[in-house]
Amino acid sequence: MKRIIFATGNEGKLKEIKVILEEPGVEVISMKEAGIEADIEENGTTFEENAVIKARAVAAKTGKIVLADDSGLEIDYLGGEPGVYSARYAGEDTPYTVKNQLLLDRLAGVEKERRTARFVCVIAAVLPDGEVITTRGTIEGYIGFAPAGENGFGYDPIFYVPEYECSTAQLSMEQKNALSHRGKALRAMKEKLQEYLEA
Ligand code: ITT
């Protein structure tokens, strides 16, 4: 059994990641499940930098392959905010009902055409020999006029996709994974790791 340690404390991400990466012979475990504690300071200025910081911090404590995800929501009307600060926007512990409403308020009166946004995800892998690989995925959409849906996590209730004209919180996990930033970045990573996973 190949075990991949995923350097994340975000349960919503972990659920999506397991569905995409796990297959017979490959198991994904969180750093908590691996018994690894790491206090990681995400002080990078890009998704790439932060993903590598997280994967390296955990890789330093194990000889196994470690993956990390750094992701966020870019809203064009707000100059790309909250971007790399998505988790910290309006305070790390502020509930997403509040964060989502704040963003909706900042877009009050803005018509649909100017509410364009995207989710971005960068996956970093640190291999046991120290080699670092990154992959990136995005999904284009727009900020809706009201939150909707109970699935997913974070900003999903306000992020709408033109493919379905509904929020990503209204999609099943399978539907979201097929289109999402994380799905795309993880599938690209899976391909790059194929050799390693088969070994
Ligand atoms: P880890 O660093 O422990 O993985 P985190 O939540 O702090 O967890 P990030 O620093 O990468 O992760 O922040 C990403 C934030 O972007 C996340 O907390 C959400 O607010 C938002 N986000 C990313 N992907 C999302 C998705 O698929 N749906 C909704 N919100 C998402």
Side-chain angles (χ1 to χ4, degrees), residues 39-59:
D39 192 17
I40 306 168
E41 201 192 336
E42 291 179 38
N43 51 12
T45 55
T46 63
F47 294 111
E48 276 79 6
E49 279 175 14
N50 280 333
V52 173
I53 287 170
K54 288 188 246 190
R56 278 218 173 106
V58 174

Side-chain angles (χ1 to χ4, degrees), residues 147-152 156-157 159-160 165-172 175:
E150 306 287 332
N151 301 334
D156 279 324
F159 184 81
Y160 282 60
E165 287 296 342
C166 74
S167 83
T168 42
Q170 292 175 295
L171 299 179
S172 67
Q175 286 172 319

